[in-house]
Amino acid sequence: MSGPELPRVGGRPIPTELLIGGDRVAAADRFPVIDPATGAVLAEVASGSPADMIMAVDAAAASGPDWAATTPRHRSEALRRAYELMVEAADDVARLIVLENGKTIADARAEVAYAAEFFRWYAEEAVRLDGSLGRAPSSGNRILVTHQPIGVSLLVTPWNFPAAMATRKIGPALAAGCSVVLKPASDTPLTALAIGELLRAAGVPDGVVNVVPSRRAGAVSSAALRDPRVRKLSFTGSTEVGRLLLREAAEQIVSCSMELGGNAPFLVFDDADLDAAVDGAMLAKMRNGGQACTAANRFYVQRAVADEFVSRLSTAMGRLRMGSGLDPEVALGPLINSSAREKVGELVEATVDAGARLRAGGRAPGGDGFFYPATVLADVPGGAPVLAEEIFGPVAPVVAVETEEEAIALANATEYGLVAYLYTGNLSRGLRLAEALETGMVGLNQGLVSEPAAPFGGVKQSGLGREGGHAGIEEFMEPKYVAVAW
Ligand code: NAP
């Protein structure tokens, strides 16, 4: 089945070849990109080989020193132009994201705005790079510290935010003076290729940004990580793959920033504003149809308000219209592929078999596309796999809890530690509990934490390092200390 025509982005057709050294490079192999709403093939994209990846590292290594030597103002202005071009092309990029990822057009527009902000934020950070001068405590020496770009960076991104996960890495890398090779997810390579074109149009020199889609993710990233010129790996994806890449990066002692999986708890206390908690739950659970690392994965609600919360959440979930994300009336698009849908269906069935009550959804429709309805599970027994695994789908399991201590203990009983959400009417209780939660981020009476100016990232097995904010650019720089006396 062949799909709809692809949008042009900023007036340009979307390339389907590799982007290496400013050239569109054909590959011996190609792979199909599928529209998850229909199963139709959208395009056949070049699949980079390990040799292609080394060619991209060659291009990044060759262009790196000149890029690093440009002034911060020069890099800032290139990123600013990229921001402006992306905002101008926002409708095209959003449509492209809907086609290859399946999310709703509203979610895709929000993603493009968020993604473009990383170019603007790092355009502003590029000219705020500072160092320090201190004095050694026991000698006359001065401690002069500057920061230098870390070097050629391998960026590996997932399919769930095909634009934002790329710009969240490219923005700070370019601002710091690094050249990059981006390996996007094979489910969504077109958005990455379109962003590569926007960066060229913004005046980023050939070779500074290379894009190598591939259906051989393991082989191409291994080739890059074995190459001693690659000094940085910035990865966003599952904890399982992150662990493999950390092992490989150890061989050449490559600096790693890892944004990995999550299992976000969503806590509602009996003093919370329930309307706000349900609105926040819908946002935290349903952005991207639940396919977000920050998605609320487990709801722990204090017993006095649990039934009311479940009832209001089930009504809100049951109202969501499901269908193609291109239809502006649709609030829930398909999952990314058929195996994702199978996994979500199996988790729901196992939870119902274990004794949970189905309050909304729970049955996948027939027909084309990888759809699964908004689902609420109440009275979920402790120990159910749905509470331990990343669901990555529109399913909300709710557990009633008695006390604050019980809620915090359950929230922390996971190897993940990306984000937690917490609803209470008492701000000091909220701040106290935010400190007790073992996560890198907390949404306090907020269902959305993503913000380009804030440090995004997790603790425990959810990752290493931070993206966004000032912390994001530091991941692409090495401090240089000069001992000097005068
Ligand atoms: P994934 O399977 O780990 O894939 C992520 C990237 O790694 C893709 O480009 C993928 O390529 C590549 N990859 C897969 N296997 C590999 C291997 N053996 N060696 C090297 N690279 C490999 O994750 P995903 O399914 O795309 O994304 C969902 C996951 O990402 C979830 O766990 C989610 O929580 C996490 N995530 C985290 C954040 C965060 O900021 N913490 C943000 C978004 C998503 P292919 O596509 O070709 O397989």
Side-chain angles (χ1 to χ4, degrees), residues 190-466:
L190 296 167
T191 306
L193 289 163
I195 289 173
E197 283 302 300
L198 287 177
L199 285 158
R200 288 179 73 199
V204 174
D206 292 347
V208 172
V209 175
N210 305 278
V211 185
V212 181
S214 175
R215 65 158 125 206
R216 298 173 61 199
V220 295
S221 53
S222 297
L225 291 173
R226 277 196 300 265
D227 190 315
R229 294 170 298 175
V230 173
R231 297 314 314 144
K232 178 80 199 181
L233 166 64
S234 178
F235 172 78
T236 299
S238 60
T239 297
E240 190 190 350
V241 173
R243 192 177 283 119
L244 284 176
L245 291 175
L246 279 168
R247 280 198 197 108
E248 290 193 55
E251 280 304 313
Q252 303 280 346
I253 318 290
V254 171
S255 162
C256 291
S257 301
M258 311 301 274
E259 296 288 349
L260 307 177
N263 179 6
F266 190 107
L267 314 184
V268 183
F269 291 100
D270 55 13
D271 58 359
D273 173 341
L274 267 202
D275 285 333
V278 172
D279 288 350
M282 291 302 289
L283 195 57
K285 177 74 251 179
M286 296 306 290
R287 194 162 66 116
N288 270 4
Q291 301 174 105
C293 53
T294 50
N297 209 58
R298 312 167 278 153
F299 292 79
Y300 296 116
V301 185
Q302 225 168 355
R303 174 115 23 222
V305 292
D307 282 349
E308 184 60 24
F309 177 82
V310 167
S311 156
R312 292 195 208 178
L313 182 66
S314 305
T315 304
M317 293 280 268
R319 266 204 293 258
L320 298 181
R321 184 156 150 204
M322 186 164 68
S324 160
L326 291 173
D327 177 345
E329 302 294 312
V330 159
L332 175 59
L335 295 175
I336 188 68
N337 53 37
S338 62
S339 55
R341 177 164 72 169
E342 254 166 56
K343 186 200 139 188
V344 171
E346 283 166 12
L347 267 179
V348 170
E349 270 172 41
T351 313
V352 172
D353 288 348
R357 277 184 307 129
L358 196 57
R359 293 292 303 269
R363 189 165 299 123
D368 293 334
F370 313 123
F371 292 96
Y372 196 88
T375 296
V376 178
L377 295 161
D379 303 330
V380 174
V386 76
L387 302 174
E389 283 181 39
E390 204 175 11
I391 304 168
F392 246 59
V395 177
V398 186
V399 178
V401 294
E402 305 297 338
T403 63
E404 208 178 271
E405 292 72 23
E406 184 188 2
I408 295 293
L410 287 169
N412 288 341
T414 168
E415 71 271 25
Y416 294 105
L418 188 62
V419 61
Y421 304 91
L422 161 60
Y423 275 76
T424 170
N426 178 333
L427 186 59
S428 75
R429 178 192 210 185
L431 290 169
R432 179 168 50 78
L433 296 183
E435 283 192 3
L437 287 163
E438 296 168 356
T439 56
M441 302 175 288
V442 175
L444 177 49
N445 295 325
Q446 303 272 339
L448 180 71
V449 295
S450 303
E451 159 59 57
F456 184 106
V459 301
K460 293 158 80 175
Q461 294 188 27
S462 285
L464 299 170
R466 294 292 180 269

Side-chain angles (χ1 to χ4, degrees), residues 47-63:
S47 177
S49 65
D52 294 322
M53 174 54 85
I54 295 305
M55 215 198 308
V57 173
D58 291 343
S63 65

